[in-house]
Amino acid sequence: MEKSVIDNHAVNDYPIHDLLRKRWSARAFSTRKVEKTKLFSILEAARWTPSSRNEQPWRYIVFTSNNPSKLSEAQSVLLESNSFAKQAPILICAITKKSYTESQDPNRLYFHDLGAANENMFLESFNQGLIMHEMGGFNVSLAKEVFKIPDEFEVGIMIAIGYQGTNDSLPEKLKIKNTKPRQRKPLSQIAFSEDLEHGLQDTIDQ
Ligand SMILES: Cc1cc2nc3c(=O)[nH]c(=O)nc-3n(C[C@H](O)[C@H](O)[C@H](O)COP(=O)(O)O)c2cc1C
């Protein structure tokens, strides 16, 4: 990693796996190319995600700095607020299939399964010594057009992957955002017993 990169580890209340603690949405990307084997390991991590009826509804359209004109087309769908991701050597458009292939029934869980696969990619990216950033801030209708997305798919998210760059490379506003301690709701606000009125932690003794 380059000098003055940031480790914004989780400040966790209970022990968790090191990768979960270290994963975070960094914004300073280096333009350094990512090795093909690393990219394929990250996609392999997505491949092994569990999914409803093993449908594997996720699809990833990958753009790399090996083809700068295509990468620049992918960059064009990002909102201004996400222009930090234009430094990244890899941009991915993650889409997901809305119905089950065999029965053709609507798949209620298509976004769930895409999110799970994306998280696997996130963790593998950090395992490979890279950073990743998911972005909902992009022009969806433009993405559908630019990436020629068929109607049976929903466009999910844009993903940037690369080596971490230095915080100095970011504009002032993003520098601050990029160094802010990460925050989470306490466990008492997300885990319950019986119904939302009863906190789980109060009802489990050991
Ligand atoms: C579905 C989704 C969409 C997101 N969209 C954006 C985005 O458009 N721009 C951005 O800077 N961060 C985006 N993020 C990053 C979140 O802000 C970030 O995950 C959250 O603040 C928690 O921080 P952490 O990932 O470092 O733990 C997105 C994250 C997710 C999961």
Side-chain angles (χ1 to χ4, degrees):
M1 282 198 291
E2 290 173 36
K3 236 175 89 197
S4 94
V5 295
I6 298 159
D7 289 329
N8 207 341
H9 296 174
V11 182
N12 44 312
D13 292 342
Y14 295 91
I16 54 175
H17 194 282
D18 223 32
L19 265 181
L20 295 171
R21 218 168 53 77
K22 289 179 175 166
R23 181 221 61 83
W24 70 293
S25 299
R27 290 181 170 81
F29 283 90
S30 154
T31 54
R32 177 180 162 191
K33 278 194 179 175
V34 169
E35 297 81 348
K36 186 177 158 188
T37 50
K38 292 196 172 193
L39 171 62
F40 278 76
S41 288
I42 291 164
L43 294 166
E44 183 72 10
R47 183 172 166 242
W48 286 100
T49 306
S51 62
S52 167
R53 299 191 200 170
N54 201 17
E55 171 63 29
Q56 306 157 64
W58 46 78
R59 303 287 184 276
Y60 295 101
I61 307 174
V62 180
F63 302 87
T64 74
S65 50
N66 287 331
N67 189 339
S69 69
K70 284 287 163 194
L71 181 62
S72 146
E73 273 183 37
Q75 291 166 348
S76 74
V77 309
L78 296 175
L79 297 190
E80 180 60 33
S81 54
N82 285 329
S83 32
F84 62 85
K86 293 185 182 174
Q87 289 286 106
I90 298 174
L91 271 184
I92 298 177
C93 178
I95 65 172
T96 179
K97 190 162 177 285
K98 292 183 275 188
S99 59
Y100 292 105
T101 302
E102 206 170 301
S103 64
Q104 298 191 5
D105 294 339
N107 178 359
R108 187 178 71 80
L109 299 164
Y110 67 106
F111 247 95
H112 171 280
D113 291 347
L114 176 67
N118 294 344
E119 182 65 9
N120 270 12
M121 288 173 66
F122 222 142
L123 295 173
E124 188 56 42
S125 295
F126 275 74
N127 189 40
Q128 297 290 336
L130 300 165
I131 59 167
M132 166 169 150
H133 202 113
E134 289 185 271
M135 292 161 290
F138 67 97
N139 185 328
V140 174
S141 51
L142 181 63
K144 276 186 183 155
E145 195 185 308
V146 172
F147 308 137
K148 303 189 200 78
I149 311 295
D151 285 343
E152 68 258 41
F153 290 89
E154 183 85 60
V155 181
I157 200 138
M158 292 296 292
I159 295 172
I161 294 174
Y163 284 95
Q164 192 172 179
T166 61
N167 205 44
D168 318 336
S169 64
L170 290 172
E172 214 47 49
K173 225 165 119 185
L174 283 184
K175 259 185 207 158
I176 297 167
K177 226 174 173 180
N178 201 43
T179 48
K180 255 191 175 168
R182 295 163 57 227
Q183 298 204 320
R184 286 301 188 270
K185 290 174 183 159
L187 210 51
S188 61
Q189 285 182 24
I190 63 162
F192 303 91
S193 167
E194 297 166 39
D195 55 38
L196 293 182
E197 304 291 310
H198 295 87
L200 181 65
Q201 283 156 313
D202 303 334
T203 60
I204 292 187
D205 344 308
Q206 47 178 339

